[in-house]
Amino acid sequence: MVFGNYRFALLLLLLLPGIAAQAGNALENHPSPYLAMHGGDPVAWRDWGEAAVSEAEESGKLLFISSGYFSCHWCHVMQRESYQDPEVAALLNRWYVPVKIDRELEPALDAWLIAFTETTEGAAGWPLNVFLTPDGYPLVGMTYVPRDDFHERLGRLHDFWNQERERAVAFSRSIVERMQAANKVSLPQSLPAGDEVVAGFLEQAMSLADELQGGFGDQNKFPMSPQLRVLLAIQQHEPSRELHDFLVLTLDQMANRGLRDQIAGGFFRYTVDPGWETPHYEKMLYNQAQLASLYLHAADVLNRPAYQGVARDTLDFVLSQMRGESGGYIGSLSAVDDRGEEGGSYLWSEAELKALLTDREWKLVQEWWEFPFGTQLPGLALPFAVEKRGDAGGADIEAVRRKLLAERQQRLPPRDTKELAAWNGLLLKALAEAAERLGDARYATAADALAQWLVTLRDGERLQRSGAGTGRGSVSLADYLYVADGLRAWGRVADRQRYLEAADSLVAAAWRKFYGGKGWRLGERQLIPGLDGEAALQDGPMSAPSALAIAHGEPEQRKAALRMSLAPVLENPFWYASHAWQLMEFQAEKSDDTHER
């Protein structure tokens, strides 16, 4: 009888496509700005959770999970082309269980789907679109697809699922089993010497280094904060002229060219070219926090006092432009302005500048900034810093800067107002370091207020992913460790025992909740197969939280986790830079203990 009811319901859904749409779009008025912007789509989006998984299991339909984030340009494009298209929406509603996730609220699920898509397609990114079997095994993944192509794929995949279901299920399970097998490691008898790890890391890093333009690779240029931080640490311990020059070149290029907003401060997410000229215009909180910390550290290690100014400008931008309503700081500023133009908030035409400025101001501007008109878009320019400029006009240029900023206030980018625990933990650490190194009371005041807010996200040992009213999401290993690291940094600088104790509690909870016999899990909830652990987590835009757990763990915990992570770390130390550094540190500590005895 149950089977008959199931067949009747499925028949109705196939014959009457409008019925599925009547369920409505669950994202309307969602507290996540990214999910809320999809609340008016004709797609009957479900929010991620047990209900969506159960619906797929009961209906036999493929799950369709689309992941993105508010400041993602191509996410907006695919929404406009496909998810707001009635024909595409009708197919999604009729044949699939469509789920929209904010990758910043569901980092563990997003990371798993990214890993699957990279494995099967060779590359991944956002918007990320993955079709899963009803029992949660990923089947097909893709990034941005033009509307007609996407419409065609929806039909082909539906036919394949209906005609070759057993084959599809077998394929999806085999891929997951293969990925899980790749994560299994045999434990070594002993850990290698620290200098061997240093040598391996340096060899791989410098093989990827762009020694002409700085950074790594020869296409898009990302800040690569975790890797640069480890290189700075190596330079501090074992100075090298070659490494010094590469670090200075990279940090100068990042600070002076298109990665950084010369007018307001703050860094964009990456540049789309190898010469650091044309950015993708998102401004992410995690980049500001990590790069402020990086430049503070580099000022000391490389003896470049000007880098302190870069860190200061970056933090000042965050304090003035990214403050949230509940006590934390918001996730990002969008790549597009309020008119939907990418970079519209930051680009200038020569005519605009001359109309706004006096002749004297225009002359001064050209002494301080270079305007490569046409580099980003025809007739428009993002200002770069002039490499060799004197101190003349320093006071006057501030007045000009304020005038330019006032004009830019008319075209501000939309804000993703989520206040994420992990990213605010990174910011707290940067503020603590700035308060200590720069002696500026503003940073100490901001750090203490942020620490107080972060503590409110704890309920005993449990931590929330985000602040009240900003779309809670699923808490991750990164939340526990970045918050703990920030609280520990500020507790030490301010001599506040309560923050040190809170940090210790979060670290202990992270080891219990996220570490086991199969390694590290990013998230607590496991609604679908595959989220069961990795020996080591790679560094992405942020340092691997598993490496931070090792840094703050007990000696035996650290040793066991380092042994488990050894194979992937030694094979690709550059991509596991934070883990490699923990291995170097652990071996150095052992050596020091031996010498002392």
Side-chain angles (χ1 to χ4, degrees), residues 23-39:
N25 186 327
L27 304 184
E28 187 176 1
N29 299 320
H30 197 283
S32 159
Y34 174 68
L35 297 182
M37 83 181 198
H38 284 277

Side-chain angles (χ1 to χ4, degrees), residues 420-430 450 454 482-487:
L420 300 172
W423 300 4
N424 277 276
L426 292 171
L427 178 61
L428 177 57
K429 183 171 185 179
L450 183 55
L454 284 168
Y482 295 160
V483 170
D485 201 40
L487 289 173

Side-chain angles (χ1 to χ4, degrees), residues 56-126:
E57 290 177 340
E58 293 168 6
S59 68
K61 294 181 180 181
L62 292 174
L63 265 169
F64 171 66
I65 300 181
S66 178
S67 176
Y69 59 105
F70 184 75
S71 58
C72 164
H73 171 68
W74 289 103
C75 298
H76 289 263
V77 173
M78 193 159 184
Q79 178 192 23
R80 183 172 64 251
E81 291 180 353
S82 294
Y83 301 136
Q84 293 181 345
D85 180 88
E87 292 184 16
V88 170
L91 296 187
L92 284 171
N93 294 342
R94 183 189 308 170
W95 291 333
Y96 303 94
V97 177
V99 175
K100 208 19 141 158
I101 68 168
D102 183 331
R103 77 175 181 98
E104 295 162 2
L105 290 178
E106 299 291 345
L109 175 60
D110 178 78
W112 168 236
L113 299 179
I114 282 283
F116 165 80
T117 306
E118 287 178 338
T119 299
T120 55
E121 300 295 320
W126 299 276

Side-chain angles (χ1 to χ4, degrees), residues 232-485:
L232 276 174
I234 292 173
Q235 176 66 18
Q236 186 173 21
H237 286 77
E238 302 176 21
S240 152
R241 171 52 58 183
E242 179 187 9
L243 182 54
H244 172 278
D245 291 348
F246 171 73
L247 287 168
V248 169
L249 169 65
T250 298
L251 292 167
D252 282 354
Q253 291 279 82
M254 285 164 44
N256 294 334
R257 297 182 69 76
L259 189 71
R260 181 168 167 242
D261 182 353
Q262 306 297 328
I263 306 296
F267 287 86
F268 301 109
R269 191 163 73 94
Y270 68 98
T271 64
V272 301
D273 63 283
W276 304 98
E277 292 185 339
T278 303
H280 228 320
Y281 292 90
E282 307 103 317
K283 285 187 177 180
M284 316 300 293
L285 180 61
Y286 64 75
N287 267 343
Q288 316 314 319
Q290 290 184 116
L291 288 170
S293 178
L294 182 73
Y295 277 91
L296 281 172
H297 190 46
D300 294 338
V301 174
L302 304 176
N303 191 27
R304 306 278 288 196
Y307 289 165
Q308 287 191 351
V310 176
R312 187 186 294 274
D313 285 351
T314 304
L315 290 175
D316 289 351
F317 161 75
V318 172
L319 296 182
S320 65
Q321 299 297 318
M322 301 189 77
R323 197 181 300 270
E325 293 185 359
S326 75
Y329 291 79
I330 67 170
S332 65
L333 302 182
S334 178
V336 300
D337 65 10
D338 53 8
R339 296 169 293 188
E341 297 178 7
E342 187 178 12
S345 302
Y346 307 104
L347 297 171
W348 301 87
S349 70
E350 186 172 358
E352 285 176 323
L353 290 167
K354 288 183 175 179
L356 180 66
L357 304 174
T358 66
D359 290 344
R360 179 178 174 278
E361 289 171 337
W362 172 237
K363 182 179 179 181
L364 182 61
V365 158
Q366 291 175 294
E367 293 173 1
W368 278 76
W369 297 307
E370 173 191 355
F371 287 87
F373 294 108
T375 299
Q376 280 76 31
L377 290 172
L380 299 176
L382 179 77
F384 299 165
V386 173
E387 289 187 21
K388 296 181 179 179
R389 66 187 181 203
D391 294 328
D396 293 335
I397 198 65
E398 285 308 309
V400 176
R401 189 197 304 270
R402 287 194 295 271
K403 181 183 284 191
L404 294 174
L405 285 174
E407 178 66 19
R408 272 182 28 180
Q409 288 293 116
Q410 309 303 314
R411 44 182 175 150
L412 290 177
R415 296 155 52 90
D416 185 342
T417 55
K418 295 192 308 293
E419 299 168 35
L420 300 172
W423 300 4
N424 277 276
L426 292 171
L427 178 61
L428 177 57
K429 183 171 185 179
L431 288 169
E433 292 171 342
E436 182 176 41
R437 297 187 186 201
L438 303 180
D440 191 324
R442 293 181 306 123
Y443 302 135
T445 300
D448 200 54
L450 183 55
Q452 292 180 46
W453 178 76
L454 284 168
V455 168
T456 69
L457 299 184
R458 296 176 64 227
D459 179 11
E461 289 185 349
R462 187 173 178 80
L463 191 66
Q464 297 170 8
R465 172 69 176 159
S466 62
T470 63
R472 292 298 173 89
S474 299
V475 71
S476 72
L477 175 65
D479 294 303
Y480 280 81
L481 270 304
Y482 295 160
V483 170
D485 201 40

